[in-house]
Amino acid sequence: MNIQTINNSIQPQKELLLHHPLYKKVKTIEDLQCFLENHIYAVWDFMSLLKALQSKLTCTTTPWFATQNPQTRYLINEIVLAEESDLTLDGRRLSHYEMYIEAMQSCGANTEGIEHFLTEVDSLQNIFVAIKTSTLHPNIKAFLDFTFRVIEEGKSHEIAAAFTFGREDLIPSMFTAILKNFQENFPETDLSKLIYYFERHIELDADEHGPMAMKMITELCGTDAQKWSDVEEVSKLALEKRIGLWDAIEETILMNVELA
């Protein structure tokens, strides 16, 4: 098994995501705000996948020791650098999560939901309890729970699978579809920070991080058939959870329209 085999195997799920009806449901600024207020959880937990990989593949403790694979060490550190401290539209350094929060605020989306959730995560000191006791949509809970179950299992190749096939490889095509929709529906609204965020992700993931993540998978699995099988299984589940997230946002938008 190899990268191409995995890509062929998960193509049906990728197609469902790329042609999801959610994109055409974002018709008003209120719909956009609803999208952002729910999608932010995926932006946040992506950083946890990334940091879990950094913890596994590099040395983040003292005394320092060189980890086994210098190539994966380089790949993950390079991705962390951009995701955790990228340049904003006005030349500051922020994580992509913080950039997204600023983009939400600039177009009137409410950040209180994610802020309250993170306060609960910090207070409870147990991510699974925080997810379970939250008032989030069941599909968003399932999405987050899956991410942190993969992290808790602690297998580097499985974390890398969720990160690579569930996020990095998917994001350029998916965000291109989202961005096109935003530009068509909100030509008069200042979405400069949001558009910058999406375009930055498209640029980084398509040209740099996506190929890097693929190399990381290859390095981690090598010729181990079981690891490749694990990667295939986790990748499919990650995409199914993302479809569930999109279903949840679509459902919430439609519910809001009915109540309006």
Side-chain angles (χ1 to χ4, degrees):
M1 198 177 288
N2 55 29
I3 294 292
Q4 189 56 53
T5 311
I6 302 289
N7 272 325
N8 291 341
S9 177
I10 63 176
Q11 191 59 36
Q13 286 88 354
K14 289 173 75 173
E15 288 296 323
L16 283 172
L17 275 167
L18 295 178
H19 300 97
H20 198 284
L22 167 65
Y23 308 128
K24 293 183 179 178
K25 299 293 192 303
V26 183
K27 297 176 180 177
T28 68
I29 195 67
E30 289 78 19
D31 297 339
L32 175 60
Q33 290 163 351
C34 180
F35 172 86
L36 300 176
E37 288 162 13
N38 288 281
H39 179 239
I40 183 62
Y41 295 93
V43 177
W44 172 72
D45 83 333
F46 169 82
M47 296 302 296
S48 294
L49 278 172
L50 177 60
K51 298 305 281 188
L53 279 173
Q54 188 181 34
S55 177
K56 290 285 179 187
L57 304 177
T58 75
C59 183
T60 58
T61 56
T62 57
W64 178 87
F65 295 96
T67 48
Q68 187 176 8
N69 192 319
Q71 181 67 12
T72 55
R73 190 193 313 156
Y74 163 75
L75 291 172
I76 202 64
N77 279 333
E78 189 72 14
I79 295 172
V80 168
L81 176 65
E83 294 288 346
E84 203 167 32
S85 50
D86 203 5
L87 275 173
T88 64
L89 187 59
D90 56 1
R92 293 171 295 129
R93 290 284 177 187
L94 286 179
S95 69
H96 284 184
Y97 167 79
E98 291 165 310
M99 288 165 62
Y100 198 93
I101 288 289
E102 286 196 353
M104 288 177 68
Q105 292 166 339
S106 73
C107 56
N110 192 333
T111 60
E112 288 178 8
I114 182 68
E115 288 163 3
H116 174 73
F117 176 72
L118 295 188
T119 299
E120 288 296 293
V121 171
D122 185 48
S123 172
L124 293 167
Q125 291 295 298
N126 186 314
I127 183 61
F128 299 106
V129 173
I131 294 167
K132 187 175 181 180
T133 58
S134 74
T135 57
L136 295 171
H137 189 288
N139 286 14
I140 299 178
K141 288 186 179 187
F143 181 88
L144 292 170
D145 188 79
F146 170 77
T147 295
F148 287 97
R149 295 288 171 195
V150 171
I151 290 170
E152 187 182 46
E153 284 291 314
K155 295 178 181 176
S156 299
H157 64 287
E158 292 185 350
I159 300 171
F163 177 84
T164 302
F165 293 103
R167 307 296 180 97
E168 290 294 272
D169 183 51
L170 179 71
I171 281 171
S173 300
M174 188 172 67
F175 278 7
T176 298
I178 293 170
L179 189 58
K180 182 182 177 185
N181 189 57
F182 288 175
Q183 289 171 325
E184 285 176 357
N185 286 346
F186 313 110
E188 306 302 321
T189 307
D190 181 12
L191 300 176
S192 55
K193 286 186 177 180
L194 187 62
I195 288 171
Y196 177 80
Y197 169 87
F198 281 118
E199 287 183 338
R200 186 71 180 132
H201 251 292
I202 292 166
E203 176 190 357
L204 282 173
D205 293 336
D207 298 339
E208 300 174 32
H209 294 178
M212 283 180 176
M214 293 296 179
K215 286 181 184 176
M216 180 169 60
I217 291 280
T218 303
E219 291 280 341
L220 290 171
C221 292
T223 57
D224 190 320
Q226 183 57 53
K227 286 185 177 179
W228 281 109
S229 179
D230 293 343
V231 164
E232 181 181 26
E233 182 182 354
V234 169
S235 299
K236 282 184 178 179
L237 282 170
L239 292 175
E240 285 168 8
K241 296 301 179 187
R242 170 69 80 160
I243 292 167
L245 174 68
W246 266 197
D247 289 344
I249 299 175
E250 181 189 14
E251 183 185 314
T252 307
I253 287 173
L254 291 174
M255 195 181 303
N256 290 345
V257 170
E258 288 173 8
L259 292 172

